[in-house]
Structures are given as structure tokens and as C-alpha cells.
Amino acid sequence: ITWRLFQKSVIEHPLYAARAESQYEVSRELPSKRGTIFAQDAELQQLVPLAASEERFDISVVPRNVKDKEAAATTLATLFGLDKAAVLEQISNDKLYLPPLVRGVTKDQRNALVEQGFVGLLIEKRNERVYPENQIAAQLLGFVNREGAGSYGIEGYYNKDLRGTAGSVVGEKDTLGRIISTLQRTDPEDGVDIELTIDHNLQFAVERRLAQGITDSLAVSGQVIIMNPTNGEILSMASLPSYNPNKYSESAAQPELFRNPTISTVYEPGSIFKPLIMAAAIDLGKIEPDTKETFGASVNVQGYTIHTALDKAYGLETMSQVLQNSDNVGMVWVAGKMSNDEMYDKLAALGINQAPGIDLQGEVQGSLRPARSWQEINRATISFGQGVTTTPLQMIRAWAALINGGNLVTPHVARRLVGQRGVDLIAEFPTTEHVISKETSEKIRGMLVSVVDEGPYGRTRIPGYAIGGKTGTAQIANEGGGYSETDFTHSLMGFFPADNPQYVMLVKLDKPTSAPFAESTAGPIFHDIAEYIFAYFKIPPTR
């Protein structure tokens, strides 16, 4: 007996102590609170939450401790819209634990339940991600999945910053596993808040007008990006169709809705690519805006016949008129003034062979084949935006460099991150200067203003304001090769105020069928959004 006592109390003491500790000690994670994502509101001069974390509660009961089960079932059914008979069946036993009967109730609902005062209630608090604006900016924001991790968009890119660091608590537990006294505690560190460059009211107006434009043009989908060309701040980024991040699981069967087409879908841009080629040739000293040449209705390149869009010969044209008339034949001539390497290097400098580096999850880049593999026909088709692919964001970034003096900015949606210890400014997004000269930028800007003023842009012009821009109507490539004769991408890229551009906007429609050219489909959308911007930001007329 003495030996056994010595064995249990001394030799095996660590083993039994550990077993005892595991029976009465419990360790639990203390979740951090995810940071809030704010948008701007220029009208009210304040921030508006687009994504926030709110207290939610899961409600359960301990059947053994519920004295009046009939009354408890009635209360739960009344407060939470449950079936009383089903609740009564679940709690009519002496179990110590049941899964939650209702999840995610608000604080007010929790308080109303507590006021009923019946014994046996088990309430667990948690933080739930909510999106007050529902579908607005959904593909820009992304969502938080069931594991608490950000997916897509801002939520995915800044997940580590938003999520923070979880804490922990070690304490004594009761028979139900609840902590009744604390032995050790490490407090969680909440995630940072993010202030976006996006304007809340502008985003709402853009999505509403885009939705109407898709309906009017009978398009499959559409996108709009508005950016400050001088610093890369994205003011609005909209894609439709979309989804509600509060109910993202309902769209699980359509995962393509989660992806943001403005950064994750490549396409052949068509004629909005022409100003890049024109700027390259001007910057290399090959042409000037007033350089003249005579062009026919078509041109033969390596056995392929390239026509103007209307199969019309424009005759003697300046380079500005080549853009005004969107003359494919003229653009082939311009491209022919450059070598393959010269043209490739200028396009690469404008970011056509690289992802823009935006702070959103899911970015891809288009394809610009190496110059050494170009044949004459490749250079010719690239001159009018076919045979090269980009994302919408790559195009708006390149255009920003064309009109801002020649600087390639990095698009971004976060203005600053605000942590628990105050304001932590995010690192500056890099800018590559002088990808084209300031003089070339001034020339191409003037040419693009003449395109809107002199070209067929009646649905785009706004009296009193100078706007530069260019439309694009691009054939969509077939999967098996060649191009569709019925499916097109319509786009309109424009900027304003023309003398000192602060806004550059891309409107893109996928497979519209109401009209053959982008000026009739994308033009009215651009016009109405630009008109809204002039009024909202109080921009005075320039003419």
C-alpha cells in the first residue's frame, strides 16, 4: 500500500496532474474584430462604411436546465420566426448541449430574448461581416468566407491587415465547457480600417447608369472604371452582373460573378488602342498630328485585306483625322513607320505587357507577343487593337500616361490604413515617369479632343465642356480561331477637363446588339456619368 501510494502520488504525479488539468482547464481563441472598409462621400465630406463587422449572437439552450419547455419553445418561436413544434421537439430531453437553434441574431434580438428570463439559455457572441450597401461595389470589395478569410477584391488583398491577430483565454470550465474563471488571457488585436479612394455616391450612380445601359444596348455585361490619371486613384469601379456579398453562398454556382472583370478578364480592345500607336509614332519622331497622307478603303498586308470600318476611302487625311475617322488603313500606315522593336518597346513602356499592380485580389494581365515573333500582319492588326489583349485596367492606365504628361501611374483603391495606434499611411504607389514625353502627351491630348469635337460623337459631347476620347468596336475572337461576325465589344475611353485632366473613364459593353458601333451604346453611358461628375464635384464649364 505504501509503495502504491508513493507510485501514484510521486512517480506518476505529472501524468495524473495533466489529466486533471485537461478536465477542468480550457483554452479558447478570442477572435479579433475585422476592420471596416470606408468609401468617400464628397457631398457630405465624410466616410461611409461599405464593409463592417457587427456583433451577432448564436442562440441555443441546455435542455436539462429548461424548466418550462413549452414556454421556452413559444418564446423562441415568437422572437425568431421558428416552428414551435420543431423547437419543442428539439428541447424535450435532458441533454447538456444542442447545436444553435438560431444563428446570427442582432444585439436587440438577443436583449429581447434575455428579458424573457427563462433558465437554460446559452448565447455565444461572434463578429459577422456585413455589407450595408448590399450589391454596390461587390466585386471590388469581395467577401469574407465561412473560415473568416477574405476572398477576392479588397477583402482578399488586404486580408491580413483587416483580420488582425486573434487572442486567447485559458480558464477553468464547468460541465458545459463554459469558462467560469480566467487563468491566462491574451487580448486580440483588431484589424485595421481601410479608407478607399472610391466615392460612395459616384459608385452608386455609375452602377445604376451601367445597369440601364446594359439593358438599353441588349448587352451581356458591362464595366466602368473612373480614375484620376495624375495619381492612379480609382474613383469608381463597376461591373455587372454582380452578386450580394451578404449572401455570397447563394451565388456559389456562378463563381464567375465573384471575379472583377475590370482586372481579371482580358479582351482585344479595338480602336481605343489606336491612340497608343499614334503616341508611340509621335514620340519616336515618325509623324506629327498634322502629317498628311492619302489612304484608300483597304490595304493588303501579307495576303490579308484590311478594310476601314465603313469600307470607305477617306482620301487625304492628317493624323488627327485618322483618329477622328478611326481609319484602320491609316493606322496600318502609322504602324509601318516604326520597326517591330520600336513599337513593342513603346507599348511595353505604357504597361501593355504587365499587370498594373492594383491592390485588389485576382488581377491578371493581357498578352503582347514578343516583337521578334511579329510578322507584318501582326504589327498591322495591333495598330487598330486586334491581335493584342489587355484588361480594362491596363487600358485606362495606358491612357492615363497619354494624357497626364507621360507618367505611368499605379492604379489603387486604398487611400490609407488606420490602425489601433492611429493613422498608418500606406506606402506610396510607384510612378514611372516620362514613358512618353510631355510634348507628345500634349499633342495626343489635343488630337483626342478633336476626335470628340470633329468626329461622330454627338451622344458623347456635353455643351460647355471640352472632352477628349475615342470609341472602340472590336470583333471578339472565336475559340477555334478567327473572329465572330456577330459578337463585338463596344468601349469608349474619355477624359476631362481636357486642358488638365482629372478624370479618365472607360465604359465597356460586352456583346451589345442594339446598335453596330460604340458611340451609340457606350456613348450615352459616358455622357450621363460625365454630366453627373460635373455636377457632383462642382466642375465649372470650360467653354
Side-chain angles (χ1 to χ4, degrees):
I1 291 173
T2 302
W3 166 250
R4 292 293 289 169
L5 286 172
F6 176 78
Q7 183 185 43
K8 298 298 181 186
S9 61
V10 179
I11 299 176
E12 298 180 2
H13 174 268
L15 172 64
Y16 289 106
R19 287 181 179 177
E21 185 177 284
S22 69
Q23 291 175 4
Y24 68 81
E25 283 192 11
V26 62
S27 177
R28 288 190 181 175
E29 181 181 277
L30 297 177
S32 56
K33 184 178 180 181
R34 195 173 182 87
T36 302
I37 300 173
F38 293 98
Q40 308 292 322
D41 188 319
E43 186 174 31
L44 299 178
Q45 294 296 304
Q46 65 183 33
L47 299 176
V48 178
L50 293 183
S53 294
E54 294 185 358
E55 285 187 344
R56 289 289 190 269
F57 302 87
D58 295 341
I59 308 298
S60 187
V61 297
V62 181
R64 178 179 291 184
N65 295 341
V66 178
K67 296 179 180 179
D68 189 341
K69 293 182 169 55
E70 179 78 22
T74 299
T75 299
L76 291 167
T78 302
L79 287 177
F80 303 116
L82 304 175
D83 179 79
K84 177 185 173 182
V87 174
L88 185 59
E89 182 181 354
Q90 285 183 277
I91 67 176
S92 295
N93 54 67
D94 289 329
K95 293 181 179 179
L96 290 175
Y97 174 77
L98 285 179
L101 298 171
V102 60
R103 298 178 185 270
V105 306
T106 65
K107 190 173 183 178
D108 289 342
Q109 290 174 307
R110 189 277 314 262
N111 292 341
L113 176 61
V114 171
E115 289 172 2
Q116 301 299 314
F118 67 77
V119 179
L121 201 58
L122 187 60
I123 301 176
E124 290 195 54
K125 184 179 79 171
R126 59 183 173 85
N127 291 318
E128 184 172 293
R129 199 62 162 170
V130 295
Y131 301 88
E133 301 294 330
N134 294 313
Q135 186 172 304
I136 298 298
Q139 292 167 332
L140 175 79
L141 292 169
F143 59 86
V144 176
N145 63 27
R146 295 185 187 279
E147 287 71 43
S151 301
Y152 300 94
I154 298 165
E155 296 277 28
Y157 188 91
Y158 287 106
N159 180 59
K160 184 177 179 181
D161 300 292
L162 287 164
R163 193 170 192 170
T165 304
S168 63
V169 60
V170 178
E172 293 182 314
K173 64 181 179 179
D174 62 12
T175 56
L176 297 179
R178 297 174 297 189
I179 293 177
I180 57 176
S181 66
T182 300
L183 302 176
Q184 181 182 340
R185 179 184 178 94
T186 302
D187 290 329
E189 184 174 343
D190 291 340
V192 303
D193 295 336
I194 297 181
E195 179 184 328
L196 301 181
T197 59
I198 300 294
D199 186 273
H200 167 256
N201 295 317
L202 178 59
Q203 182 72 21
F204 178 82
V206 166
E207 291 198 25
R208 181 175 58 183
R209 185 61 185 88
L210 177 59
Q212 184 61 51
I214 291 172
T215 299
D216 292 344
S217 65
L218 305 177
V220 172
S221 55
Q223 302 89 46
V224 173
I225 309 174
I226 303 172
M227 187 176 81
N228 183 329
T230 64
N231 60 19
E233 288 191 350
I234 301 293
L235 305 176
S236 178
M237 179 178 277
S239 306
L240 295 174
S242 187
Y243 70 103
N244 185 343
N246 289 307
K247 304 174 181 178
Y248 71 89
S249 59
E250 295 181 2
S251 300
Q254 297 177 281
E256 67 276 6
L257 293 179
F258 300 148
R259 293 189 287 270
N260 183 346
T262 65
I263 66 169
S264 64
T265 299
V266 299
Y267 75 114
E268 297 187 27
S271 293
I272 63 171
F273 202 81
K274 291 174 180 175
L276 278 64
I277 302 299
M278 196 69 76
I282 293 173
D283 208 52
L284 290 167
K286 307 293 185 179
I287 58 170
E288 289 294 330
D290 59 358
T291 298
K292 293 182 179 180
E293 185 60 53
T294 301
F295 303 110
S298 64
V299 61
N300 188 277
V301 181
Q302 284 189 293
Y304 296 92
T305 301
I306 296 173
H307 299 265
T308 60
L310 299 177
D311 204 18
K312 171 184 175 181
Y314 291 99
L316 183 65
E317 294 177 292
T318 65
M319 296 299 100
S320 292
Q321 289 171 325
V322 168
L323 288 181
Q324 292 168 21
N325 297 323
S326 201
D327 187 345
N328 292 341
V329 175
M331 289 306 305
V332 171
W333 181 84
V334 172
K337 304 291 284 184
M338 298 176 278
S339 71
N340 289 353
D341 286 336
E342 285 176 328
M343 192 164 123
Y344 177 91
D345 289 345
K346 283 298 179 183
L347 293 178
L350 290 167
I352 298 305
N353 67 339
Q354 61 182 247
I358 193 170
D359 49 342
L360 291 173
Q361 191 179 72
E363 182 183 45
V364 302
Q365 68 182 62
S367 174
L368 178 64
R369 295 171 59 187
R372 63 179 179 274
S373 68
W374 289 7
Q375 298 184 45
E376 188 179 354
I377 186 62
N378 300 126
R379 188 177 67 246
T381 59
I382 289 172
S383 74
F384 51 86
Q386 303 275 187
V388 58
T389 63
T390 71
T391 65
L393 188 66
Q394 282 181 281
M395 282 306 303
I396 203 167
R397 183 192 189 207
W399 265 64
L402 295 186
I403 64 174
N404 69 8
N407 302 320
L408 191 67
V409 298
T410 300
H412 57 280
V413 296
R415 179 168 290 173
R416 62 177 184 172
L417 275 63
V418 184
Q420 288 183 325
R421 299 178 181 84
V423 176
D424 300 316
L425 295 178
I426 59 176
E428 292 186 4
F429 293 91
T431 294
T432 303
E433 297 184 345
H434 311 309
V435 296
I436 60 172
S437 71
K438 185 177 180 181
E439 293 72 23
T440 297
S441 177
E442 290 176 354
K443 291 173 182 177
I444 201 71
R445 194 165 64 229
M447 295 171 76
L448 290 169
V449 171
S450 77
V451 169
V452 176
D453 286 347
E454 306 297 332
Y457 285 76
R459 295 175 178 84
T460 305
R461 301 186 196 107
I462 299 176
Y465 293 92
I467 295 173
K470 181 76 184 73
T471 59
T473 302
Q475 287 181 285
I476 296 177
N478 295 319
E479 290 186 7
Y483 288 89
S484 172
E485 295 295 328
T486 57
D487 293 336
F488 294 84
T489 299
H490 288 188
S491 53
L492 197 161
M493 186 84 79
F495 60 89
F496 47 85
D499 58 340
N500 181 28
Q502 298 300 306
Y503 306 89
V504 57
M505 184 193 333
L506 171 63
V507 177
K508 174 175 171 283
L509 295 171
D510 305 308
K511 300 181 181 180
T513 56
S514 67
F517 296 109
E519 207 284 321
S520 299
T521 57
I525 301 173
F526 182 98
H527 172 279
D528 292 349
I529 295 174
E531 201 168 51
Y532 177 89
I533 289 174
F534 292 141
Y536 180 64
F537 291 108
K538 298 179 174 58
I539 301 172
T542 55
R543 289 178 170 175

